[in-house]
Short mmCIF file of all heavy atoms in Angstrom, two decimals:
data_model
loop_
_atom_site.label_atom_id
_atom_site.label_comp_id
_atom_site.label_asym_id
_atom_site.label_seq_id
_atom_site.Cartn_x
_atom_site.Cartn_y
_atom_site.Cartn_z
N LEU O 110 26.21 23.63 61.39
CA LEU O 110 24.87 24.24 61.30
C LEU O 110 23.82 23.35 61.94
O LEU O 110 23.72 22.18 61.59
CB LEU O 110 24.53 24.62 59.83
CG LEU O 110 25.48 25.67 59.22
CD1 LEU O 110 25.17 25.82 57.76
CD2 LEU O 110 25.27 27.00 59.91
N GLU O 111 22.94 23.92 62.71
CA GLU O 111 21.87 23.23 63.36
C GLU O 111 20.51 23.51 62.82
O GLU O 111 19.54 22.77 63.00
CB GLU O 111 21.90 23.54 64.87
CG GLU O 111 23.20 23.19 65.55
CD GLU O 111 23.33 23.60 66.97
OE1 GLU O 111 22.52 24.48 67.37
OE2 GLU O 111 24.15 23.06 67.71
N ASP O 112 20.35 24.66 62.14
CA ASP O 112 19.05 25.03 61.51
C ASP O 112 19.31 25.95 60.39
O ASP O 112 20.50 26.36 60.06
CB ASP O 112 18.11 25.69 62.59
CG ASP O 112 18.67 26.93 63.23
OD1 ASP O 112 19.21 27.79 62.51
OD2 ASP O 112 18.61 27.07 64.47
N LEU O 113 18.20 26.36 59.73
CA LEU O 113 18.33 27.23 58.50
C LEU O 113 18.06 28.70 58.81
O LEU O 113 17.94 29.48 57.84
CB LEU O 113 17.41 26.71 57.41
CG LEU O 113 17.75 25.32 56.87
CD1 LEU O 113 16.69 24.78 55.95
CD2 LEU O 113 19.15 25.37 56.20
N GLU O 114 17.99 29.08 60.07
CA GLU O 114 17.71 30.45 60.43
C GLU O 114 18.93 31.34 59.87
O GLU O 114 20.03 31.01 60.11
CB GLU O 114 17.61 30.64 61.93
CG GLU O 114 17.24 32.03 62.30
CD GLU O 114 17.04 32.19 63.81
OE1 GLU O 114 17.07 31.19 64.56
OE2 GLU O 114 16.84 33.32 64.28
N GLY O 115 18.60 32.38 59.19
CA GLY O 115 19.56 33.25 58.61
C GLY O 115 20.01 32.89 57.19
O GLY O 115 20.83 33.51 56.58
N CYS O 116 19.36 31.79 56.70
CA CYS O 116 19.68 31.30 55.35
C CYS O 116 19.34 32.38 54.30
O CYS O 116 18.38 33.14 54.51
CB CYS O 116 18.86 30.05 55.11
SG CYS O 116 19.12 29.31 53.45
N PRO O 117 20.14 32.50 53.26
CA PRO O 117 19.79 33.50 52.21
C PRO O 117 18.34 33.24 51.71
O PRO O 117 17.88 32.11 51.63
CB PRO O 117 20.81 33.29 51.12
CG PRO O 117 21.94 32.58 51.76
CD PRO O 117 21.35 31.83 52.88
N LYS O 118 17.73 34.31 51.23
CA LYS O 118 16.38 34.22 50.59
C LYS O 118 16.56 33.86 49.11
O LYS O 118 15.67 33.36 48.56
CB LYS O 118 15.63 35.55 50.74
CG LYS O 118 15.42 35.94 52.19
CD LYS O 118 14.58 34.95 52.94
CE LYS O 118 14.42 35.34 54.38
NZ LYS O 118 14.17 34.28 55.26
N GLN O 119 17.72 34.21 48.61
CA GLN O 119 17.97 33.95 47.15
C GLN O 119 19.42 33.61 46.93
O GLN O 119 20.32 34.30 47.42
CB GLN O 119 17.60 35.25 46.36
CG GLN O 119 17.97 35.17 44.89
CD GLN O 119 17.73 36.55 44.24
OE1 GLN O 119 16.92 37.31 44.68
NE2 GLN O 119 18.54 36.82 43.19
N VAL O 120 19.65 32.56 46.18
CA VAL O 120 20.94 32.13 45.73
C VAL O 120 20.83 31.88 44.25
O VAL O 120 20.13 30.95 43.81
CB VAL O 120 21.54 30.89 46.46
CG1 VAL O 120 22.79 30.39 45.82
CG2 VAL O 120 21.69 31.18 47.94
N ASP O 121 21.56 32.67 43.39
CA ASP O 121 21.39 32.56 41.94
C ASP O 121 22.16 31.37 41.40
O ASP O 121 21.82 30.79 40.39
CB ASP O 121 21.90 33.80 41.25
CG ASP O 121 20.94 35.01 41.52
OD1 ASP O 121 19.86 34.76 42.02
OD2 ASP O 121 21.32 36.12 41.16
N GLY O 122 23.19 30.92 42.11
CA GLY O 122 23.97 29.75 41.67
C GLY O 122 23.60 28.51 42.42
O GLY O 122 22.44 28.22 42.78
#
Side-chain angles (χ1 to χ4, degrees):
L110 295 172
E111 299 174 344
D112 59 46
L113 294 173
E114 186 177 354
C116 179
K118 302 296 179 206
Q119 173 187 331
V120 173
D121 291 348

